[in-house]
Structures are given as structure tokens and as C-alpha cells.
Amino acid sequence: MKWLRVPPVDLPDLEPMVSLPDPPHPFTERLHALVTAAGSVADLRRYFGMDRPRRAAAFTGARFEALGGGGDHPKVADTVTAEDLIAVQTLSVTVPAAAALELLEGHAGTQLSALLRAIPRGMDMADATEADLDPDSPAHKAWRLLRGQPGIGWVTAGKLLARKRPRLLPVYDRVVRCAVGRPRSFWQAMHRALRVDDYALQRELLILRQAAGLPGTVSVLRVCDVVVWMRHHTDHQNVGCTWK
């Protein structure tokens, strides 16, 4: 099935947190179709290197969550570490040196740590409340703080937070945006999509994770991100997309 493309609304660098009413769009239906399409299990196994010798990952992003024991490991869950900065590089973004030093040693790092302490660590997005993700939430404030650092755009800010709270906050980049559309607030749209029809999408993602043989340390949100990214990244690079 081919999706009709709708001209993009000009909202530069506001993803994923603008909280305005969503225009009608098939976000949930499109996401569900991508997740349940034939080939999703094979794509997951390929991305995470499940069929390679010694399970050597085919993509560096396979190490995003697991590197150094994970960004949400209790000892480091509320602070940005050098391993977090390397982890986001596995997803093809880089935190500039000045911003990295500020997050590791400066006032911004102290502020971010205070916000991270207020963001639930063991909560899945599907189990979160709207208040956990709305514009007044600590997660939203942490995203704005990161966006305020020199050279950190909306994609990098989101990936850093996904590293620190992989079960609650999703990776979101231009490839995913192009594949699923451009809701006014990706976090809130994703939250709703996981919960509709008695958590049908959440269940599908759990089934995919098990079928691909992935460990429980790979979050449901990461399963979703990888499936969508694998389905669309080649076309995104080669064809040219409305939502770039």
C-alpha cells in the first residue's frame, strides 16, 4: 500500500515536543502497518546481528542501548556520561565538544541531572500518563535544556534522552519522521498509538522482540524505531522525501 503524502507544516526544529492539536493524519495506522509488515523480524535480526558470526552487529546502532551497561543503569541513570556521548554517535549524530563538556562538567549537566532524577527510569511509554510527557513534564524540560546547548538539534536531544530513558522516550529522527508522518508532538502521538485498541501496538512490538530473539534490554520503543528505520532508510537517502 502506498501512502499519500501531505505537504508538511512548517514547524522548524520543534519536534518532538510542540503540544498543539494534531491535524487528521493516519499516524497510528501507518505505524501499525510498518510494524506488522512482512520482514520486520528479519530486519530486526539483521540490524542487531543475530545471524552473524558471534552476533557481530551489522549496524553500530545495535549498541546504542547496551553500551557501557546502558544509559539507564542505576549508577549513571541521572547523569550524562562519556559513554552516552559515544552511544549517540552509533546513531549517526555527534554532540559538539563545547556542548559535551558542558553536559559532562558544567552547569547544564547539573541542571540535566536534576531533571533526570524526576523522570521515571523503569516506566514504559505505554504505561506513562500524559503528564509524564506533556510540555510541563521534566522530560520536556530536559529536552528544551538540551536543545539550548550549542550545536544540539532536536534529533540529537531526543537521542540523548532516549539513551537515558530508553523505555519511556523514543528515538526520533528524519527517517522515522518521513516514514510515519509529522505529528505536532511525536511523543504524545506515539503514546496514544501504543495504547489504542487495548495496547495492540505494544503487544505487537513485544511479539516482534521475542520472535527476533532479542533480549529484554532492547526496549519496545527501540524495536519500533529499528523496524521503521530499516523499512525506510534506503528510500529516504535515495529517493528524496517530503518530510526531510
Side-chain angles (χ1 to χ4, degrees):
M1 177 180 292
K2 293 185 178 179
W3 296 98
L4 295 176
R5 296 204 178 278
V6 179
V9 178
D10 186 15
L11 293 174
D13 281 348
L14 294 180
E15 289 83 12
M17 295 309 304
V18 170
S19 183
L20 298 171
D22 283 344
H25 63 85
F27 176 86
T28 300
E29 292 83 358
R30 187 177 303 186
L31 186 59
H32 192 271
L34 287 166
V35 166
T36 58
S40 292
V41 170
D43 282 343
L44 284 168
R45 292 187 65 83
R46 179 182 169 217
Y47 186 93
F48 286 97
M50 302 300 290
D51 299 319
R52 293 166 68 91
R54 298 185 181 179
R55 293 188 177 179
F59 295 85
T60 60
R63 297 290 296 152
F64 172 68
E65 284 186 307
L67 185 68
D72 62 341
H73 188 280
K75 291 183 178 180
V76 298
D78 298 331
T79 186
V80 170
T81 69
E83 286 176 327
D84 295 329
L85 301 178
I86 295 171
V88 297
Q89 289 186 42
T90 70
L91 299 184
S92 302
V93 297
T94 301
V95 177
L101 290 172
E102 180 64 20
L103 291 172
L104 292 172
E105 302 177 346
H107 183 57
T110 301
Q111 290 179 298
L112 184 60
S113 290
L115 290 168
L116 287 170
R117 285 193 290 272
I119 302 173
R121 184 172 65 87
M123 180 186 291
D124 287 331
M125 178 180 261
D127 297 324
T129 67
E130 291 185 4
D132 291 317
L133 303 168
D134 71 22
D136 293 323
S137 67
H140 186 178
K141 293 174 182 176
W143 184 84
R144 287 203 307 263
L145 174 65
L146 287 168
R147 283 287 288 111
Q149 304 309 304
I152 296 184
W154 63 269
V155 172
T156 303
K159 288 178 177 180
L160 270 171
L161 288 179
R163 164 74 179 175
K164 302 311 296 182
R165 295 295 183 270
R167 294 172 60 182
L168 179 65
L169 303 176
V171 171
Y172 183 47
D173 61 15
R174 289 174 176 82
V175 176
V176 174
R177 182 178 70 180
C178 185
V180 300
R182 191 173 184 175
R184 300 276 186 168
S185 168
F186 181 77
W187 288 1
Q188 292 175 350
M190 186 73 188
H191 182 237
R192 288 191 296 269
L194 289 167
R195 294 165 65 91
V196 298
D197 297 331
D198 194 26
Y199 297 80
L201 180 60
Q202 174 83 353
R203 294 198 305 273
E204 291 285 357
L205 291 167
L206 287 169
I207 291 169
L208 277 178
R209 184 174 69 185
Q210 182 177 17
L214 299 176
T217 51
V218 178
S219 70
V220 164
L221 293 178
R222 188 73 176 116
V223 170
C224 187
D225 168 56
V226 169
V227 167
V228 173
W229 188 87
M230 288 290 283
R231 188 59 47 86
H232 188 64
H233 76 283
T234 300
D235 286 345
H236 185 83
Q237 292 171 352
N238 296 338
V239 177
C241 293
T242 301
W243 298 109
K244 276 188 179 181

